[in-house]
Amino acid sequence: MSSAEEATAILERAKALVGPAIFEVLRRLNPELSMSAIYHCEGKGKGARPALALLSAEAAGATSHVGLPGAVAIELIHDFSLIHDDIIDADTERRHRPTVWAKFGVGTGVITGDALHALAYETLLSDPTPARVRAAGELTRAVSAMIAGQSMDMAFEHLPTITVEQCLAMERGKTGALLSFACSVGAILADADEGFISALADFGMHLGIAFQATDDLLGIWGDPARTGKPAGSDLRVCKKSMPVVIALNNSSSVAVELAKIYGCQDEGRFISDGLAQTDLAQMDLVAAQPVLDDAAVNKAQVLVEAGGGREQTQALARQHFEEAVTALDSIAQTNTVNAQAIQEMRCLAEFIVGRDF
Amino acid sequence: MSSAEEATAILERAKALVGPAIFEVLRRLNPELSMSAIYHCEGKGKGARPALALLSAEAAGATSHVGLPGAVAIELIHDFSLIHDDIIDADTERRHRPTVWAKFGVGTGVITGDALHALAYETLLSDPTPARVRAAGELTRAVSAMIAGQSMDMAFEHLPTITVEQCLAMERGKTGALLSFACSVGAILADADEGFISALADFGMHLGIAFQATDDLLGIWGDPARTGKPAGSDLRVCKKSMPVVIALNNSSSVAVELAKIYGCQDEGRFISDGLAQTDLAQMDLVAAQPVLDDAAVNKAQVLVEAGGGREQTQALARQHFEEAVTALDSIAQTNTVNAQAIQEMRCLAEFIVGRDF
């Protein structure tokens, strides 16, 4: 079995446990909310976060069922964040289907996300054992960090200069915090040692940064057929992802040229900006047009690569993937560890990050 | 001192305790989020919910400080719900200032509300004593009920018939659940008896329904100078509030005529509807125009009154106010009760609901 096949099998096994548990929770919502929530959840992603949550319980010597409430909570939070991010970014498609707001309206998108957010805590606190309470507390911190990261990402659009450190801090919050929680919540629920829990949390944080780095690479150089997004999609909307930030901080003329292309970003791309300038009587929306045309996207792509954005982001992905593996190795010798589960977490990590950096 | 003056003094006292605690929490947000969050919280309402939370701790014989984490959590949840509701309803003004989304954009409105939502649970779970964990669990249920109520309210816009019972269930969730939590969380944190806690929760639920009923009356017959909204504002946007639902269920021709006026509602008033019909390339917004003109508003006002909507909603407010007082009286004889706090809760209840029904 190839490692991709192995990863797929691990994900399928997790899905068989988590899927029904999620739908069980969603069915308890009132009909108005469950329709939009189930619509979103049917367009499922890989389900890596809940799978890692189950594996982290198994790693600590417990059964995957022990990790289940954590897996359900993490998936609900992930879904809530996707639904709201799609509104924030004015994205109309996700996994080749209309996003929740594009299908049901912005109001329904807002309230559906809110419902899943509340439900995540409710899931953990409905049976408040010490371990679940601890997990719920960690979840509130992870969610707050995720929201802070998302708001930094939004603020970047309007900032003339961003350092690589600021960009990394943003990605740590936006992507790392939740993956860190996913990779450790099962161990928390299994009452594992603090050192064990924190090694898994480190693994998840580094994995999150590595994953975000490869995602940023795909947003610029990804194959549209595989990503489901137009080529250079992040450049098209002048997103200041890691490769772009690296190139903008390059000391050569490349940075100046790239900044010039990105300079057009203030012409009002976001729904949010459009609406902010209106009043109730005249709420015409500034069209959420992509800012850059094909020629500008191509030019930006060349400049980001020339400015070291591709190479250094690949190096960043490699570095954090290795740190993730090191964190995992640090507990591989523990007495109580389930080596099989650790091996499967590593397999998933490779699968998520991809190996082409 | 008049009872209005007494209520104002109680609210001021609560604000002196809760205000700094809220700002302390908000200041810990990253700069992007704290700006919009503090902007919203500066445009403060009466602060009735946190005041009731503090009083419910005092009622159980504790100091108001014991109720403080509950008061902060309830205020954060209330603020989150207002910020998101303003997006859902496309409201551009609240308390004579632009709403968060109208000032900072829809994206910032979404994320700011999310941040306050997470922060409410974080506040209670940062020090997970059994009482705080219990409070956090109750809060998740209250928030889920509130969200369910809000989504029912949204769904009502598109439903041809709604019964009075459905409308009451919606208001129970949308307004009652959070007020019920506010009126009992202090007693939970003070480790009061179950009977004591549940009497205060009942008090808050009935108070919430009575409050919503008077709010519905103000939305149709309120003085614009006092409500800060245009006359007949709920009718103008074809809102199916309790008085309207009562009149629409009237067996006379009044219901038919009113339904005819309200029939124009499907022409696409909401931002959400507007956006739902667009794609990324052409995201023009259907203007969020009020549906009814002055003449139609006046006619609807007369019809709702003729259909018993005004009188029966007043009766509903009276009935639930009395049930609220009865619940409060049921614990007034308890050994451990602080009679002064109970009297102050009653004073606030009268102030919130108003006495002109």
Side-chain angles (χ1 to χ4, degrees):
Chain A
M1 190 152 67
S2 77
S3 72
E5 283 168 350
E6 190 193 341
T8 307
I10 296 168
L11 291 171
E12 284 306 319
R13 218 173 55 228
K15 213 171 262 188
L17 192 59
V18 178
I22 294 268
F23 281 97
E24 166 80 28
V25 168
L26 298 184
R27 263 194 298 269
R28 271 184 273 145
L29 290 170
N30 56 326
E32 295 80 15
L33 286 169
S34 69
M35 184 167 66
S36 48
I38 289 175
Y39 168 82
H40 173 83
C41 294
E42 278 169 354
K44 266 285 151 252
K46 291 192 280 287
R49 288 166 189 77
L52 287 163
L54 299 183
L55 285 173
S56 85
E58 292 188 50
T63 65
S64 55
H65 275 88
V66 170
L68 190 55
V72 169
I74 197 79
E75 189 66 351
L76 291 170
I77 291 290
H78 183 54
D79 287 331
F80 132 64
S81 76
L82 294 181
I83 293 171
H84 280 189
D85 284 359
D86 285 339
I87 297 172
I88 291 167
D89 297 337
D91 281 337
T92 54
E93 270 200 27
R94 174 172 294 280
R95 297 181 199 119
H96 311 285
R97 304 163 80 216
T99 51
V100 171
W101 75 265
K103 187 165 175 77
F104 299 98
V106 169
T108 300
V110 169
I111 198 92
T112 305
D114 290 343
L116 301 186
H117 186 182
L119 219 43
Y121 301 115
E122 207 176 339
T123 299
L124 286 169
L125 292 175
S126 63
D127 175 18
T129 61
R132 287 197 187 196
V133 169
R134 157 104 190 254
E138 299 284 353
L139 184 58
T140 64
R141 285 182 282 278
V143 172
S144 287
M146 176 188 79
I147 290 168
Q150 169 67 9
S151 75
M152 285 167 75
D153 199 17
M154 291 162 70
F156 283 2
E157 308 281 342
H158 304 286
L159 287 180
T161 55
I162 300 153
T163 65
V164 173
E165 288 68 32
Q166 284 174 315
C167 191
L168 200 57
M170 179 277 283
E171 298 194 337
R172 215 176 263 283
K174 191 177 172 179
T175 311
L178 215 58
L179 257 170
S180 178
F181 177 79
C183 292
S184 57
V185 65
I188 292 173
L189 294 171
D191 284 320
D193 291 345
E194 285 309 316
F196 197 92
I197 292 169
S198 99
L200 285 176
D202 282 353
F203 163 70
M205 178 56 80
H206 289 297
L207 180 60
I209 298 169
F211 168 69
Q212 187 60 57
T214 46
D215 201 56
D216 286 352
L217 290 167
L218 288 174
I220 298 179
W221 294 281
D223 175 4
R226 290 185 53 190
T227 63
K229 292 178 184 174
S233 59
D234 282 356
L235 297 175
R236 214 165 278 275
V237 296
C238 287
K239 194 164 170 57
K240 287 177 187 151
S241 63
M242 185 59 84
V244 173
V245 170
I246 288 169
L248 284 171
N249 280 286
N250 184 295
S251 57
S252 74
S253 63
V254 160
V256 180
E257 280 188 71
L258 183 60
K260 221 178 280 166
I261 296 178
Y262 260 51
C264 62
Q265 68 170 348
D266 290 329
E267 286 169 20
R269 182 176 61 86
F270 288 98
I271 307 190
S272 41
D273 295 344
L275 287 179
Q277 294 152 8
T278 64
D279 61 11
L280 191 65
Q282 188 197 11
M283 206 179 298
D284 299 293
L285 230 199
V286 173
Q289 298 283 6
V291 176
L292 303 190
D293 59 19
D294 285 351
V297 167
N298 289 341
K299 199 172 163 197
Q301 212 173 36
V302 170
L303 287 168
V304 173
E305 182 142 16
R310 187 172 199 168
E311 198 185 317
Q312 289 175 43
T313 304
Q314 286 170 333
L316 193 81
R318 256 194 316 272
Q319 176 206 329
H320 283 279
F321 182 78
E322 279 159 22
E323 291 189 53
V325 171
T326 303
L328 213 51
D329 285 345
S330 76
I331 50 171
Q333 312 305 329
T334 317
N335 271 338
T336 51
V337 79
N338 173 339
Q340 164 80 6
I342 293 286
Q343 192 275 326
E344 290 183 353
M345 289 182 97
R346 187 183 168 136
C347 173
L348 278 193
E350 286 181 10
F351 183 71
I352 294 165
V353 174
R355 295 285 284 180
D356 45 354
F357 44 75
Chain B
M1 191 152 66
S2 77
S3 72
E5 282 168 348
E6 191 193 340
T8 308
I10 297 167
L11 292 171
E12 285 304 319
R13 218 172 55 227
K15 213 170 261 187
L17 193 58
V18 178
I22 294 270
F23 281 97
E24 167 80 28
V25 169
L26 297 184
R27 263 194 298 269
R28 270 184 273 144
L29 290 170
N30 57 326
E32 295 79 17
L33 287 168
S34 69
M35 185 166 68
S36 48
I38 289 176
Y39 168 82
H40 173 82
C41 294
E42 279 169 354
K44 265 285 149 253
K46 292 192 280 285
R49 287 166 189 77
L52 288 163
L54 298 183
L55 285 173
S56 85
E58 293 188 50
T63 65
S64 54
H65 276 86
V66 170
L68 190 55
V72 169
I74 196 78
E75 190 66 351
L76 290 170
I77 291 291
H78 183 54
D79 287 331
F80 132 64
S81 75
L82 294 180
I83 293 171
H84 281 189
D85 284 358
D86 286 338
I87 297 172
I88 292 167
D89 297 338
D91 281 336
T92 54
E93 270 200 27
R94 175 173 293 280
R95 298 182 200 118
H96 311 286
R97 304 162 81 215
T99 51
V100 171
W101 75 265
K103 187 166 175 77
F104 299 98
V106 169
T108 300
V110 169
I111 197 91
T112 305
D114 290 344
L116 300 186
H117 186 183
L119 219 42
Y121 300 115
E122 207 177 339
T123 298
L124 286 169
L125 291 175
S126 62
D127 174 18
T129 62
R132 287 196 187 196
V133 169
R134 157 101 191 254
E138 299 284 355
L139 183 59
T140 63
R141 286 181 280 278
V143 171
S144 287
M146 177 187 79
I147 290 168
Q150 169 68 10
S151 75
M152 285 167 75
D153 198 17
M154 290 162 69
F156 283 2
E157 309 281 341
H158 304 286
L159 287 179
T161 54
I162 301 153
T163 66
V164 173
E165 288 67 32
Q166 284 174 314
C167 191
L168 201 56
M170 180 276 283
E171 299 196 335
R172 217 175 261 281
K174 190 176 173 179
T175 311
L178 215 56
L179 257 170
S180 179
F181 177 80
C183 292
S184 56
V185 65
I188 292 172
L189 293 171
D191 284 320
D193 291 345
E194 285 309 314
F196 197 93
I197 293 168
S198 99
L200 285 177
D202 282 353
F203 163 70
M205 179 56 82
H206 289 298
L207 180 59
I209 298 168
F211 168 69
Q212 187 59 57
T214 47
D215 201 57
D216 286 353
L217 290 166
L218 288 174
I220 298 178
W221 294 281
D223 175 4
R226 288 184 55 191
T227 62
K229 291 179 185 175
S233 58
D234 281 355
L235 297 175
R236 215 164 279 274
V237 295
C238 287
K239 192 165 172 56
K240 287 177 188 153
S241 63
M242 185 59 85
V244 173
V245 170
I246 289 169
L248 284 171
N249 280 287
N250 183 295
S251 57
S252 74
S253 64
V254 160
V256 180
E257 281 187 69
L258 184 60
K260 220 177 283 167
I261 296 178
Y262 260 51
C264 62
Q265 68 171 346
D266 289 329
E267 287 168 21
R269 183 175 60 83
F270 289 97
I271 307 190
S272 41
D273 293 345
L275 288 179
Q277 293 152 9
T278 64
D279 60 11
L280 191 63
Q282 191 198 10
M283 205 178 300
D284 301 291
L285 230 199
V286 174
Q289 298 284 7
V291 176
L292 302 191
D293 61 18
D294 286 349
V297 167
N298 290 340
K299 197 172 166 198
Q301 211 173 37
V302 170
L303 288 168
V304 174
E305 182 143 14
R310 186 173 200 167
E311 199 185 320
Q312 288 174 43
T313 304
Q314 286 170 333
L316 193 79
R318 255 195 317 271
Q319 177 207 330
H320 283 280
F321 182 78
E322 279 159 22
E323 291 189 54
V325 171
T326 303
L328 213 50
D329 286 345
S330 76
I331 50 170
Q333 312 305 329
T334 318
N335 270 339
T336 51
V337 80
N338 173 338
Q340 165 79 7
I342 294 287
Q343 191 276 324
E344 290 183 353
M345 290 183 96
R346 186 182 169 139
C347 173
L348 278 193
E350 288 182 9
F351 183 71
I352 294 164
V353 174
R355 295 287 284 180
D356 45 354
F357 45 75

